[in-house]
Amino acid sequence: MKVLRRVSQVFASPYTFGAACWWYLLGKRVRAQNRFRAVFSSNIVQAYNDRIANAVCEAQAKLTDEEIAGFRKEIEGWGDKPLISIVMPVYNTDGEQLGAAIESVRHQIYQDWELCIADDCSTVPHVRAILEALAADDKRIKLVFRNQNGHICAASNSALELATGSFVAFMDHDDVLPIHALFHIAKEIVQHPDVDLIYTDEDKIREDGRLDGPHFKPDWNEELFLAQNYLNHLSVYRTSLLRQVGGLREGFEGSQDHDLALRIVAKTSVDRIRHIPRLLYHWRAFRGSGTFSDRALAQAIDARQRAVRDYLATNYPEDRVSIVEGPYGCNRLHRELPDPAPHVTLIIPTRDQHSYLKRCLETIFGKTAYPSFDVLIVDNESAEKETLAFFDDISERHPVSVISVPGEFNYSALNNIAVAQAQGDIVALLNNDVEVISSEWLREMVCYAVLPRIGAVGARLLYANGLVQHAGVILGAGGIANHAFHGYHVTDSGYQARLQLPQYVSAVTGACLVVAKKKYLAVGGLDEQDLKVAYNDVDFCLKLSASGLHNVYTPYATLIHHESISRGKDTSVEKAARLEREGKVMQERWGDEILFDKYYSVNFSNENGCFRFKII
């Protein structure tokens, strides 16, 4: 991980005082100018990732002799070496692929394993011959031959009955493990003996043997996992928990891994779930290596939705939610508002710029389908006649109040004053240059904000040209923090469909932030002493996280953000110095926590938040 060297490509609060210009003045390499054009477009990032994907995968797959020797020496120093049982269901597997899968286990640097194979009544004779020959040569290979075909869940459970290890890894019958896969799994167990679930990153192996398609995963992210099974391979479970939940559930074929992980997660705690950010599993992805999901997609989708319904019913019985098919075959969770819906106060700091404020408010009242809300305008010394007349006009036509807060611009103080006076149990911080384009944005955000486990809720914000301005905030990217997927087109999937899926994030922008008033007040609101302009929203979200809450991004609330129109481009050296000073406050306050984002990956470049691969 690179050490933070500068505060570049500023992520500030909604009013940034022209961050791009500040960086010119500071003599820094100017990245902030890219806030106003899509340099890191999705096409550019995707083309770059495609170009280096094989190199990225090969760099992690190939070890030097010195590295291998070092791993073996490290193993010798472990007093208690965990036995890892590898469960492998087999059915009519290509002989060459089956042999490669088993040999990849036998060639592991870490040798304290057993391979538990259940043949699901294969009809081709070579499968049994290969299995018996390899088992005769290695007593760690255990076999069971089923008398009838029961599909993947039944076969996996038959193999699980053979397991005697304290941990179980699941492996498909035609995939391959790199030689250091079990070493890293065992090391994680040794270092974290209370762990219940371990998962790793994975890539794909093509028909010609080439590695590509790396899937770099976030640390445990419950909201994202409800939408998609991003754990997949390699997943390793504590054996006692596997037996406690009854192994794999028949009837969930096609999404059996998702269902199993959800039921295990329900029995453990977040601190006992570990992610190893290394490519430790090669998944075959070509014709002839099809899974149940390939052959029966509709069944797999139905099974996944049932698995998530069961999980929510068990863990969050108070949640009112329905599940349908969402983008890219993932789940779409429709959460319901409480009855009655909580009242929301929309808080909008402003100074003049009548035309932008008018568009903001007219679209709020003209397009928002929410039963109970009011608007509280925080006027910071507006002087234009048009603006002052508009205050009177809009207050007569809609539930709008205006409070005057004179003095220097202090974004944190303006919002804190307004929240204290807000009528609503829910408050929404909005920039005055936000434009509503869909009716359900507020309902979607409030449905999250009312959940006891949720802190701040952020929306997907777009530039007027349809490119993404904000899709959550990534810590340590481009400096203190940066926006995820900045410059991507709104219709792009984003990396692993993450632009289009709700998920936990470390922070969201204050340009459109919804939170329960009591949660806002409980953490002291925005820091109006040391973070008057920049980073106060990031700091606020980190305080919510520190209190045990999760911040969430939802793409189902989409608005346009014209970005910091009111304050313009303030180019004074004084303001530049304040930005530098507030950046140092964040570094001193949060230290290593803002160097790396657990919902991102060390395998992505930290130059920006665009999910661009780097070779480690």
Side-chain angles (χ1 to χ4, degrees):
M1 185 184 301
K2 294 181 180 178
V3 176
L4 183 63
R5 294 172 297 175
R6 59 186 178 274
V7 183
S8 61
Q9 187 154 348
V10 174
F11 171 80
S13 296
Y15 295 168
T16 61
F17 281 113
C21 298
W22 285 358
W23 287 111
Y24 276 115
L25 292 171
L26 287 171
K28 305 293 184 182
R29 180 180 179 184
V30 180
R31 291 193 191 90
Q33 63 184 335
N34 297 331
R35 294 168 69 89
F36 306 104
R37 64 177 186 267
V39 172
F40 296 112
S41 72
S42 57
N43 289 338
I44 293 174
V45 174
Q46 187 60 54
Y48 176 83
N49 284 352
D50 289 345
R51 187 169 65 251
I52 72 166
N54 175 250
V56 168
C57 297
E58 292 290 349
Q60 294 201 30
K62 294 180 179 179
L63 302 179
T64 65
D65 292 341
E66 290 78 11
E67 286 175 318
I68 293 173
F71 288 166
R72 286 175 175 154
K73 185 175 181 180
E74 186 172 348
I75 292 169
E76 291 175 0
W78 296 345
D80 185 14
K81 300 180 182 65
L83 176 64
I84 300 172
S85 301
I86 301 167
V87 163
M88 180 186 290
V90 169
Y91 179 71
N92 284 354
T93 317
D94 174 85
E96 185 175 336
Q97 294 175 9
L98 178 59
I102 295 173
E103 288 302 320
S104 76
V105 176
R106 298 183 71 188
H107 291 147
Q108 288 295 301
I109 295 170
Y110 184 77
Q111 287 286 299
D112 285 67
W113 54 262
E114 61 180 10
L115 179 55
C116 306
I117 300 176
D119 175 63
D120 197 22
C121 200
S122 292
T123 58
V124 292
H126 69 258
V127 171
R128 188 178 190 113
I130 292 172
L131 294 178
E132 290 181 336
L134 291 172
D137 191 50
D138 194 326
K139 299 304 181 184
R140 293 172 299 178
I141 300 176
K142 300 179 177 182
L143 305 177
V144 60
F145 293 94
R146 291 173 50 83
N147 294 324
Q148 62 180 19
N149 180 262
H151 299 302
I152 192 167
C153 293
S156 297
N157 287 337
S158 294
L160 181 59
E161 291 176 2
L162 303 174
T164 61
S166 54
F167 288 85
V168 169
F170 286 87
M171 182 178 178
D172 288 347
H173 58 172
D174 53 0
D175 294 340
V176 175
L177 298 180
I179 64 172
H180 53 305
L182 295 187
F183 163 77
H184 286 291
I185 295 296
K187 181 176 180 178
E188 199 73 18
I189 295 169
V190 169
Q191 293 181 336
H192 304 278
D194 291 334
V195 66
D196 287 329
L197 166 57
I198 302 169
Y199 65 97
T200 76
D201 294 349
E202 62 187 293
D203 58 20
K204 296 179 176 64
I205 182 169
R206 301 301 179 180
E207 194 164 8
D208 60 2
R210 177 175 50 90
L211 300 176
D212 70 1
H215 184 180
F216 297 124
K217 307 168 186 178
D219 287 355
W220 175 243
N221 190 321
E222 182 184 45
E223 192 63 24
L224 180 62
F225 195 63
L226 295 177
Q228 65 170 203
N229 177 18
Y230 72 85
L231 265 61
N232 280 325
H233 302 296
L234 180 63
S235 292
V236 182
Y237 301 93
R238 184 176 293 277
T239 307
S240 59
L241 268 184
L242 271 177
R243 296 207 162 108
Q244 182 181 342
V245 302
L248 282 79
R249 285 201 291 182
E250 295 186 46
F252 284 80
E253 286 80 5
S255 291
Q256 70 283 342
D257 296 334
H258 202 173
D259 173 62
L260 176 63
L262 286 167
R263 289 184 291 120
I264 291 292
V265 168
K267 297 292 185 181
T268 188
S269 55
V270 173
D271 60 310
R272 296 172 77 130
I273 302 173
R274 304 290 303 177
H275 168 223
I276 303 175
R278 293 175 178 267
L279 298 170
L280 298 180
Y281 193 94
H282 305 316
W283 175 67
R284 288 195 190 273
F286 55 87
R287 186 170 182 149
S289 63
T291 63
F292 180 92
S293 300
D294 296 326
R295 300 193 302 269
L297 182 59
Q299 278 183 265
I301 291 172
D302 175 71
R304 185 185 65 234
Q305 292 176 2
R306 286 188 288 118
V308 172
R309 287 190 194 100
D310 288 353
Y311 176 82
L312 291 172
T314 300
N315 292 273
Y316 304 108
E318 70 281 1
D319 283 13
R320 301 166 61 189
V321 58
S322 60
I323 304 171
V324 299
E325 186 174 355
Y328 301 95
C330 299
N331 290 335
R332 165 73 159 104
L333 276 64
H334 283 283
R335 300 185 183 278
E336 297 182 25
L337 286 169
D339 186 15
H343 186 77
V344 182
T345 296
L346 280 56
I347 294 170
I348 306 176
T350 194
R351 174 185 287 179
D352 292 318
Q353 295 296 334
H354 155 259
S355 61
Y356 288 98
L357 179 62
K358 179 178 180 180
R359 177 169 55 190
C360 174
L361 289 170
E362 295 292 359
T363 59
I364 286 173
F365 288 109
K367 297 182 179 181
T368 302
Y370 190 84
S372 179
F373 70 92
D374 73 296
V375 173
L376 183 56
I377 296 174
V378 190
D379 178 33
N380 185 216
E381 297 187 346
S382 291
E384 296 175 354
K385 293 181 179 178
E386 296 86 349
T387 302
L388 299 176
F390 178 69
F391 288 164
D392 293 335
D393 175 64
I394 196 73
S395 299
E396 291 179 1
R397 293 187 290 115
H398 295 290
V400 175
S401 303
V402 181
I403 58 174
S404 178
V405 182
E408 67 169 349
F409 175 72
N410 182 330
Y411 177 80
S412 297
L414 294 176
N415 280 285
N416 288 344
I417 291 169
V419 169
Q421 300 184 35
Q423 300 175 32
D425 292 328
I426 306 293
V427 294
L429 311 188
L430 288 179
N431 221 29
N432 67 347
D433 53 2
V434 164
E435 179 181 347
V436 173
I437 57 175
S438 64
S439 61
E440 295 299 306
W441 73 276
L442 188 55
R443 186 207 67 81
E444 171 72 13
M445 298 181 79
V446 173
C447 282
Y448 276 107
V450 296
L451 299 178
R453 61 188 178 276
I454 298 299
V457 185
R460 178 169 57 187
L461 301 180
L462 310 177
Y463 293 111
N465 61 3
L467 299 182
V468 174
Q469 189 263 337
H470 169 272
V473 170
I474 297 172
L475 302 176
I480 299 294
N482 213 331
H483 291 183
F485 297 113
H486 180 259
Y488 278 57
H489 195 272
V490 64
T491 60
D492 197 291
S493 65
Y495 185 73
Q496 299 294 332
R498 288 182 62 180
L499 176 57
Q500 305 296 343
L501 298 176
Q503 60 206 268
Y504 291 158
V505 291
S506 292
V508 297
T509 178
C512 182
L513 184 157
V514 175
V515 64
K517 180 177 178 179
K518 65 180 180 182
K519 297 172 185 175
Y520 185 101
L521 297 174
V523 298
L526 303 183
D527 182 352
E528 59 188 74
Q529 299 300 319
D530 297 319
L531 299 173
K532 298 178 180 179
V533 178
Y535 311 118
N536 38 51
D537 41 11
V538 177
D539 176 71
F540 173 68
C541 289
L542 291 174
K543 290 191 293 184
L544 290 169
S545 295
S547 73
L549 299 174
H550 299 287
N551 304 307
V552 67
Y553 152 77
T554 174
Y556 301 123
T558 299
L559 303 89
I560 290 175
H561 180 206
H562 298 279
E563 196 169 18
S564 305
I565 295 295
S566 279
R567 307 309 299 192
K569 294 182 179 180
D570 191 323
T571 60
S572 72
V573 173
E574 178 186 351
K575 301 304 187 295
R578 182 167 63 192
L579 178 65
E580 185 93 341
R581 185 169 62 251
E582 292 181 342
K584 290 180 180 178
V585 168
M586 290 292 290
Q587 293 175 21
E588 293 171 0
R589 179 172 298 172
W590 296 105
D592 290 347
E593 290 188 51
I594 58 173
L595 289 180
F596 170 70
D597 196 313
K598 63 183 178 180
Y599 298 128
Y600 204 44
S601 174
V602 295
N603 294 288
F604 296 130
S605 168
N606 64 356
E607 293 295 310
N608 53 66
C610 292
F611 294 76
R612 185 161 59 93
F613 296 162
K614 68 178 180 181
I615 300 175
I616 297 180

